[in-house]
Amino acid sequence: MTVPALRSTTTKLAIVGAGAVGSTLAYAALMRGTARTVALLDVNRQKVEAEVLDLQHGMMFIPPAEIVGSDDVEVCRGADVVVITAGAKQQPGQTRLDLAEATIGLTKKILPGLLDVAPDAIYIMVTNPVDIVTYAAQKISGLPRERVFGSGTVLDSSRLRAALALHCGVAVGNVHAYIAGEHGDSEIVLWSSATIGGVPLLEWKALPGRGELGETERAAIAHEVVDSAYRIIAGKGATNYAVGLASTRIIEAVLKNEHRVLTVSSRLDDYYGVTDVCLSVPSVVDRRGVPEVLRVPLSDAEIAGLTASAESMKAVQKRFGL
């Protein structure tokens, strides 16, 4: 009797950049059992080896996995998902767009080698400014649009839901609301499609002892979401915990083929008139990457905001010859 060969279900995640975001992402992925192998790549050999050693010392406390690291791109060979976190560090007072030139240059340098060792991987860009970097990575790689996308406003949407839940006195899991557009200053909240426990957010009546959720309150929450990253950077130098968790959630949607709806950044084609620019909108994420974007209902104001966000991105693309 011939025994059929077992199909390998081993998964490999490669993380490029062992800085605050990359190392935190590796930690979160290992804690959640996201992949069987986690590989860290960084030009600083001493740093990446130290991060790997530190993570290895906790292996008995997490789901079975292997953690490896190197300054040689070979460590990424055969990866199912490659996440790029390496880039110029955002300084206090700097906008994400201020980082564009240095980070695009780095992306041009590292992508060819990654494509050689992981030609079939899904590529997820986390480096800021993520929308511009994602667009550049698509151009440089020549890969289909669905296989190269950015973390986008997944974290921003999480920040929004957390703020709304706190304000309204409900669990975060009962809040469904998205932020779309740029991961940055021109992002917009999709208030018209948001719900809390099935109640349209624009019709929400305050619970006893809780504040109202009128236009003024919504504007304050939206400002808090946009401003929060700057406050974190000013206080501790980098954002890393929440972005590590958000990125891990995206990776799991790919590796586990979840068909999960997330606001990742991908190249749009006539999305309410927006074309040839990477922006975040609710999208299906699965083993194929981002095969579909959802055409959620938008108000006239939201369409105008999305269009303005797209024009902002296109101006930067033009500046860098993209």
Side-chain angles (χ1 to χ4, degrees):
M1 178 179 176
T2 302
V3 178
L6 293 176
R7 184 170 63 87
S8 173
T9 56
T10 298
T11 51
K12 182 173 181 177
L13 165 64
I15 302 168
V16 182
V21 173
S23 56
T24 304
L25 171 53
Y27 175 77
L30 289 166
M31 286 288 291
R32 290 176 61 90
T34 299
R36 187 61 179 80
T37 300
V38 176
L40 267 175
L41 173 67
D42 196 282
V43 293
N44 186 335
R45 183 174 180 178
Q46 185 177 16
K47 173 73 160 65
V48 72
E49 289 181 348
E51 292 288 1
V52 168
L53 188 60
D54 196 7
L55 289 166
Q56 285 175 339
H57 290 166
M59 298 302 282
M60 71 173 286
F61 308 115
I62 63 174
E66 178 186 20
I67 173 70
V68 294
S70 176
D71 59 351
D72 187 339
V73 73
E74 277 293 322
V75 77
C76 300
R77 182 167 292 279
D80 299 287
V81 174
V82 176
V83 181
I84 299 180
T85 70
K89 185 178 180 180
Q90 188 173 357
Q91 301 298 326
Q94 243 186 345
T95 69
R96 295 180 179 96
L97 291 182
D98 290 336
L99 305 175
E101 186 171 13
T103 305
I104 289 172
L106 180 60
T107 302
K108 288 179 179 178
K109 182 178 179 181
I110 63 178
L111 253 183
L114 291 167
L115 290 166
D116 283 343
V117 298
D120 300 321
I122 301 297
Y123 284 79
I124 303 174
M125 313 303 294
V126 177
T127 305
N128 280 320
V130 69
D131 306 292
I132 296 299
V133 173
T134 300
Y135 188 85
Q138 284 208 336
K139 291 286 188 180
I140 296 162
S141 68
L143 292 174
R145 58 164 295 282
E146 64 269 17
R147 285 183 54 198
V148 183
F149 63 95
S151 54
T153 58
V154 173
L155 174 54
D156 308 74
S157 295
S158 175
R159 288 169 174 157
L160 172 67
R161 294 182 186 194
L164 285 169
L166 183 64
H167 181 86
C168 296
V170 297
V172 174
N174 295 125
V175 179
H176 294 275
Y178 295 114
I179 286 185
E182 175 201 1
H183 172 55
D185 297 340
S186 69
E187 65 189 29
I188 59 169
V189 181
L190 302 186
W191 296 117
S192 65
S193 59
T195 62
I196 300 177
V199 178
L201 186 141
L202 296 180
E203 300 174 13
W204 179 257
K205 303 299 182 184
L207 298 177
R210 295 288 175 171
E212 295 296 327
L213 190 58
E215 186 174 348
T216 300
E217 290 80 12
R218 295 197 303 273
I221 289 172
H223 180 266
E224 177 187 340
V225 170
V226 174
D227 190 56
S228 59
Y230 296 124
R231 289 192 285 115
I232 293 168
I233 291 167
K236 67 175 222 173
T239 61
N240 58 310
Y241 295 123
V243 70
L245 289 168
S247 300
T248 302
R249 199 66 200 84
I250 299 168
I251 295 160
E252 289 172 354
V254 174
L255 292 178
K256 298 178 182 179
N257 198 32
E258 291 181 338
H259 312 287
R260 185 170 294 273
V261 176
L262 297 166
T263 51
V264 293
S265 179
S266 64
R267 196 176 77 240
L268 301 180
D269 181 20
D270 194 20
Y271 190 89
Y272 286 97
V274 173
T275 296
D276 196 35
V277 64
C278 287
L279 290 176
S280 294
V281 296
S283 308
V284 176
V285 180
D286 60 26
R287 195 61 184 84
R288 298 165 291 177
V290 183
E292 303 289 343
V293 297
L294 304 183
R295 198 175 176 88
V296 295
L298 301 182
S299 68
D300 290 344
E302 289 163 356
I303 293 173
L306 187 67
T307 302
S309 198
E311 292 305 315
S312 174
M313 293 300 97
K314 285 187 176 182
V316 179
Q317 290 170 194
K318 185 176 180 181
R319 190 196 317 168
F320 296 110
L322 298 172

